[in-house]
Amino acid sequence: MNQLLATEFGFYTPEIKKLDGYDNINYIVKDQSTPYIFKTYGYSKRLVRILEAETEVLLCLQKEGSNRFPKPIQFLDGTFVKVLDIGGSKTICRMLSFLEGKFLGDIVPTEELFYSFGKFLAEMNLAFQQIDNYVLQARQWEWDIQYLHLNKKYLEDIVDPHNRNVVRYFFQQFEENVVPILPGLRKQIIHNDANEWNVLTKTGNVSGIIDFGDLAYSQLINEVAIAITYGCYDKENPLDWAPAILKGYHDIFPLEEKEIKVLYYLIAARLCTSVCNAAHSRKLNPYNIYATVSEKSAWQMIHKWLRINPIRAELVFRKTIGLPIDQVETIEEQVEKRHQHISPILSLSYKKPISMSRSAFQYMYDTKGNTFLDAYNNIPHVGHSHPKVVAAGQEQMARLNTNTRYLYDLLPNYAEKLLSKFPDSLSKVFLVNSGSAASDLALRMAYAHTNHKKIMVMEHGYHGNTQISIDISDYKFNNPKGQGQKEHILKTQIPDTYRGKYTGQNAGKLYAEEAIKQIETSDHPIAAFITEPIVGCGGQVPLAKGYLKEVYPAVRKQGGICISDEVQTGFGRLGDHYWGFESQDVVPDIVILGKPIANGHPMGAVVTTQEIARSFEKGVEFFSSFGGNPVSCAIASSVLEVLEEEQLQKNAREVGIYYKSLLKELQKKYDCIGDVRGSGFFLGVEIVKGADKETNKTMAHYIKNELRNRHILVSTDGPDDSVLKTKPPLCFTKENAKEVVDTIDEILAVYYQKN
């Protein structure tokens, strides 16, 4: 190295210090006390051209007459970029001046500092407008946000499957919200890597920037997005720090409205690029700390950014630079519009309904910019807008969608995957469009197989919205506005160990004895007994332990079949069990599926035995226009894959235990909490008026609506609507659970203080 520096630059007694680098080797070289940066790169013809383009840019910037940018230093032969033989390898070499200053990453941030950061970048970008370089215009690579898709090949290098899918989500959001308008955004040369270790400061202001190796001919707004990303990614509330950078830039180089509209997604894209490349670098070289130094902060910000409503971010950005804020319709106006064509019998949640715009995993975004933590919605089972599920539907919809009268692999393949989750005796599946349709079909099968019409149902049970489903749903037919209990319906009491007459260890057996007596004294044989393993509309009430193990044999003894409604309890939601019936140590004859089976896509299923299927086959042809169509099968199959990939049943068990323990601790603190029950992510909190267990609907609704006002979603259920129910998507975290319980604690503390 000493000989090289002497021959090429005339440095005869230099001090040399090797620096860490990402994909090239750099040195600090001091000659006669003047520091320089000597940079070396592995040879490629393409890289030579890029470095020559970078040199051209840096030389143009020197015309600005400031010491804010590195200055290319000539070799003795007058060139700036040279290919030399170092250690027997062709190596690209160049020398740059050394800029003094403290790195932005070493300075305690202030709004003034961040404002000067934005201002500096704007001034630099204005200077770049004088430069027209076709090498940079032709450059396409992963670190240029407009080419985000080039990073998809690194997705599988992200080890954690949930993190991988969060990145996939932002890829999809970029394709939806940014790609269509990219051609209309201003483009020019940008620095493209204004991170905290490339930006220099002096006396509280940004004074310079180094490392122009990422220069790109890209959308101008990407410069701002990158600066905000690296300025904010280690902050507790990143959106609070973005305005200072944005305003500093805009005051010098005004931004356009269409650029602001996509800024949220561009910031997310840069974060995704960072973690994708860090994951790939770790795979190639696990010991290269430099390549992954910012990865932890990037992941932290990705998860914080996910929680920020895109509308909220845009509102902050618009306000910062003085763009007008569009007025959205009031809730009252939206309700009035809805009721012009939609009957008010289609109810709305909460005292003050919410107008939603988007959702992601466990978060929902309203039209005003608020983010809601969804601790309630059990239909998006693996998470709202899960990218793997979305992609499965999009791709199949673009390929083939038809009815089941044609042959296609998706139907038998999905059936096989689904049935692999069941005991061997449950070997046939019929696909329909909803849990309600599944309940209807299950009853038809029961009638066909048994030739009986009597149906035993559970008190407070609910099984759907078709006429047959309502007939077997005490929650509906026993409502004051309901149709009443029909003659062929036999209702048995709910085996509730909290509010019922049997509460001890033998409660299940005692409740079962009463149900069996009803069966034995019935005027007609029972065709089927249907119940949920946890009775949702009964107030999230788990059936007393051992109950079904006693009742099922009695039903079968007189020729009936046993139906488990797993619409809400299935697919791992209970944590300890994939299906709710497993908690009772029984195997039903028919299982009803719906809601989460396809993550919100309208689908349901009936799973049954070969024997019952054969009985049903003796009747008229069964056909469902959309049941089991290719798109539904593709989506449902992806749900099973995500459940396995992200180990979501395990998450439901571990987080559910933690969640329930927090609620139990809260129960000790407040006498209005009478019972905490359920398992996994199917929990109920019974709100009462004290030790006498009298229901307290008013308090339950107060808590529910106060949580809504604090942007947390739960609901209420039960005969008196006095039970808080929480059934979140299975990606819910311990931090989310603690947030819910801490917020309930705050609500009750204030209430008790006032009362």
Side-chain angles (χ1 to χ4, degrees):
M1 180 63 69
N2 289 62
Q3 181 62 45
L4 183 152
L5 294 173
T7 302
E8 299 294 341
F9 294 98
F11 295 173
Y12 295 103
T13 57
E15 297 178 34
I16 304 170
K17 180 183 177 183
K18 185 177 178 181
L19 301 173
D20 292 328
Y22 185 51
D23 54 8
N24 59 294
I25 301 174
N26 303 326
Y27 304 85
I28 291 182
V29 176
K30 282 189 178 180
D31 180 63
Q32 298 180 4
S33 300
T34 301
Y36 301 90
I37 297 292
F38 184 63
K39 301 174 75 72
T40 67
Y41 313 78
Y43 175 78
S44 79
K45 189 174 181 179
R46 177 176 177 274
L47 183 55
V48 171
R49 298 291 174 261
I50 291 172
L51 292 173
E52 288 172 345
E54 181 185 332
T55 299
E56 178 189 340
V57 170
L58 287 172
L59 289 172
C60 288
L61 289 175
Q62 304 310 313
K63 296 175 184 177
E64 299 298 308
S66 68
N67 193 31
R68 304 200 294 175
F69 311 105
K71 179 180 179 181
I73 306 300
Q74 289 178 304
F75 288 77
L76 291 178
D77 64 4
T79 61
F80 291 99
V81 178
K82 199 166 184 178
V83 179
L84 300 172
D85 186 304
I86 298 180
S89 299
K90 291 175 71 175
T91 304
I92 309 171
C93 302
R94 59 202 288 250
M95 187 80 77
L96 299 173
S97 65
F98 182 87
L99 296 189
E100 299 287 349
K102 290 185 177 181
F103 287 116
L104 183 65
D106 288 329
I107 302 297
V108 176
T110 64
E111 285 192 18
E112 293 74 18
L113 176 63
F114 274 30
Y115 179 87
S116 77
F117 184 18
K119 182 171 176 285
F120 179 95
L121 294 176
E123 292 168 348
M124 178 180 66
N125 285 166
L126 285 170
F128 281 156
Q129 289 193 320
Q130 313 303 315
I131 307 166
D132 189 13
N133 186 284
Y134 294 105
V135 171
L136 295 178
Q137 289 187 28
R139 190 181 193 188
Q140 297 184 15
W141 68 319
E142 295 90 343
W143 286 96
D144 185 346
I145 291 177
Q146 65 182 313
Y147 302 120
L148 177 66
H149 63 280
L150 296 176
N151 292 283
K152 286 185 177 180
K153 59 183 176 288
Y154 302 142
L155 275 170
E156 294 306 317
D157 295 336
I158 298 173
V159 176
D160 182 273
H162 180 66
N163 280 344
R164 188 188 313 135
N165 284 322
V166 170
V167 173
R168 278 199 182 106
Y169 166 80
F170 279 123
F171 271 106
Q172 287 180 351
Q173 295 301 304
F174 185 88
E175 289 165 5
E176 177 191 345
N177 296 286
V178 180
V179 170
I181 69 168
L182 274 177
L185 301 180
R186 293 180 292 177
K187 292 182 73 173
Q188 67 164 71
I189 292 173
I190 63 172
H191 180 277
N192 198 44
D193 195 21
N195 70 60
E196 73 274 37
W197 306 113
N198 285 339
V199 176
L200 298 169
T201 68
K202 288 181 181 178
T203 63
N205 290 289
V206 169
S207 59
I209 191 166
I210 61 172
D211 195 351
F212 282 65
D214 284 9
L215 280 171
Y217 184 80
S218 190
Q219 286 72 24
L220 180 67
I221 188 63
N222 289 343
E223 192 85 283
V224 181
I226 292 164
I228 290 174
T229 300
Y230 292 115
C232 303
Y233 72 166
D234 60 346
K235 305 299 186 293
E236 183 64 29
N237 298 302
L239 192 58
D240 292 349
W241 288 89
I245 299 172
L246 182 62
K247 181 165 177 54
Y249 191 97
H250 180 76
D251 283 353
I252 302 300
F253 196 161
L255 293 164
E256 297 178 352
E257 183 174 13
K258 57 188 175 183
E259 293 169 328
I260 293 301
K261 288 189 74 67
V262 294
L263 182 53
Y264 168 90
Y265 299 104
L266 296 172
I267 293 167
R270 183 62 174 203
L271 289 166
C272 291
T273 299
S274 179
V275 296
C276 281
N277 280 271
H280 184 62
S281 294
R282 182 184 293 102
K283 180 181 177 181
L284 296 179
N285 183 1
Y287 305 105
N288 186 350
I289 298 173
Y290 180 86
T292 57
V293 66
S294 62
E295 185 180 15
K296 183 178 178 182
S297 293
W299 278 119
Q300 288 175 347
M301 184 168 169
I302 280 179
H303 288 287
K304 289 175 181 177
W305 210 243
L306 182 70
R307 184 155 190 170
I308 294 171
N309 187 331
I311 294 174
R312 167 68 177 159
E314 186 182 340
L315 288 173
V316 169
F317 299 152
R318 294 178 76 92
K319 183 178 179 182
T320 298
I321 66 171
L323 287 174
I325 306 299
D326 296 332
Q327 295 300 312
V328 298
E329 288 182 311
T330 65
I331 293 298
E332 293 74 20
E333 289 170 338
Q334 290 182 68
V335 170
E336 183 180 355
K337 180 190 287 187
R338 174 183 170 114
H339 289 163
Q340 286 177 4
H341 305 291
I342 305 296
S343 170
I345 200 169
L346 192 69
S347 62
L348 289 162
S349 293
Y350 305 105
K351 193 183 230 179
K352 186 176 182 182
I354 307 168
S355 173
M356 293 297 185
S357 63
R358 288 181 174 272
S359 56
F361 298 97
Q362 66 268 51
Y363 304 114
M364 299 185 75
Y365 311 127
D366 76 3
T367 54
K368 293 185 176 180
N370 300 303
T371 299
F372 289 82
L373 175 60
D374 187 358
Y376 160 40
N377 197 336
N378 62 335
I379 297 176
H381 195 62
V382 299
H384 291 276
S385 306
H386 194 287
K388 195 161 187 175
V389 179
V390 170
Q394 289 174 333
E395 290 166 10
Q396 188 56 45
M397 200 175 295
R399 189 177 299 127
L400 171 70
N401 199 20
T402 184
N403 62 54
T404 50
R405 286 197 169 104
Y406 299 95
L407 295 174
Y408 47 88
D409 289 342
L410 283 158
L411 179 58
N413 289 350
Y414 174 67
E416 182 178 8
K417 286 172 71 172
L418 178 63
L419 291 174
S420 72
K421 304 295 183 183
F422 285 94
D424 291 343
S425 61
L426 295 167
S427 59
K428 292 291 181 181
V429 59
F430 295 77
L431 297 174
V432 289
N433 306 129
S434 68
S436 298
S439 294
D440 195 297
L441 179 58
L443 267 292
R444 287 173 57 194
M445 289 181 172
Y447 297 145
H449 184 68
T450 65
N451 290 315
H452 301 313
K453 297 298 180 184
K454 196 90 170 182
I455 305 295
M456 187 165 84
V457 304
M458 183 59 68
E459 181 185 16
H460 307 310
Y462 173 69
H463 305 287
N465 59 22
T466 66
Q467 185 59 58
I468 289 179
S469 301
I470 291 172
D471 289 347
I472 60 172
S473 298
D474 178 49
Y475 174 74
K476 288 293 185 181
F477 68 65
N478 197 38
N479 187 284
K481 297 180 181 179
Q483 300 171 349
Q485 184 173 330
K486 295 190 175 177
E487 289 185 2
H488 69 287
I489 300 299
L490 175 65
K491 181 171 71 172
T492 192
Q493 65 183 311
I494 187 170
D496 181 352
T497 58
Y498 171 71
R499 192 171 287 285
K501 61 180 179 179
Y502 303 125
T503 58
Q505 287 187 342
N506 291 326
K509 186 177 178 65
L510 295 171
Y511 278 117
E513 286 175 356
E514 297 197 4
I516 292 168
K517 187 175 181 180
Q518 287 180 280
I519 294 169
E520 292 174 344
T521 58
S522 173
D523 54 354
H524 291 92
I526 306 298
F529 169 45
I530 183 170
T531 185
E532 304 161 90
I534 298 180
V535 184
C537 291
Q540 316 294 98
V541 179
L543 303 182
K545 188 176 181 181
Y547 175 79
L548 291 184
K549 200 161 188 178
E550 300 283 337
V551 176
Y552 271 19
V555 173
R556 289 167 175 152
K557 182 179 178 181
Q558 49 86 73
I561 63 175
C562 303
I563 304 174
S564 184
D565 184 337
E566 300 279 348
V567 167
Q568 296 199 73
T569 54
F571 295 97
R573 174 164 291 282
L574 301 187
D576 289 328
H577 304 286
Y578 205 84
W579 307 112
F581 63 76
E582 294 173 309
S583 66
Q584 290 276 322
D585 196 23
V586 295
V587 177
D589 304 300
I590 292 180
V591 177
I592 295 168
L593 306 175
K595 290 188 190 298
I597 190 172
N599 218 51
H601 178 80
M603 189 176 181
V606 174
V607 177
T608 190
T609 65
Q610 177 89 311
E611 185 183 7
I612 292 172
R614 283 176 179 160
S615 296
F616 186 62
E617 288 162 11
K618 294 174 183 177
V620 296
E621 172 203 24
F622 168 74
F623 179 69
S624 171
S625 294
F626 303 111
N629 70 75
V631 171
S632 296
C633 288
I635 292 172
S637 184
S638 73
V639 170
L640 294 179
E641 291 170 10
V642 172
L643 282 167
E644 295 297 324
E645 182 182 82
E646 297 190 21
Q647 299 184 57
L648 291 179
Q649 182 183 349
K650 179 183 177 184
N651 189 64
R653 180 174 64 251
E654 293 177 353
V655 179
I657 289 170
Y658 176 72
Y659 197 2
K660 191 174 181 179
S661 72
L662 295 178
L663 290 167
K664 287 281 191 182
E665 287 299 312
L666 206 62
Q667 183 183 16
K668 297 175 185 176
K669 192 172 179 180
Y670 299 104
D671 62 3
C672 68
I673 300 178
D675 192 30
V676 176
R677 53 182 177 253
S679 64
F681 285 152
F682 199 112
L683 302 177
V685 180
E686 180 129 7
I687 306 300
V688 298
K689 292 183 179 178
D692 61 359
K693 297 184 182 180
E694 184 182 350
T695 60
N696 195 340
K697 176 180 178 179
T698 301
M699 176 64 91
H701 280 236
Y702 174 77
I703 296 170
K704 174 181 71 175
N705 284 292
E706 282 299 305
L707 283 169
R708 174 253 179 269
N709 293 339
R710 290 164 169 79
H711 305 124
I712 295 174
L713 305 179
V714 301
S715 192
T716 50
D717 221 328
D720 193 36
D721 206 24
S722 58
V723 180
L724 298 175
K725 60 178 178 181
T726 174
K727 298 176 286 188
L730 266 59
C731 54
F732 213 66
T733 67
K734 287 184 177 180
E735 291 75 18
N736 297 148
K738 188 174 189 304
E739 181 180 348
V740 174
V741 179
D742 285 351
T743 308
I744 294 174
D745 191 3
E746 292 171 11
I747 291 166
L748 291 177
V750 171
Y751 179 86
Y752 276 78
Q753 190 176 25
K754 289 182 177 178
N755 295 278

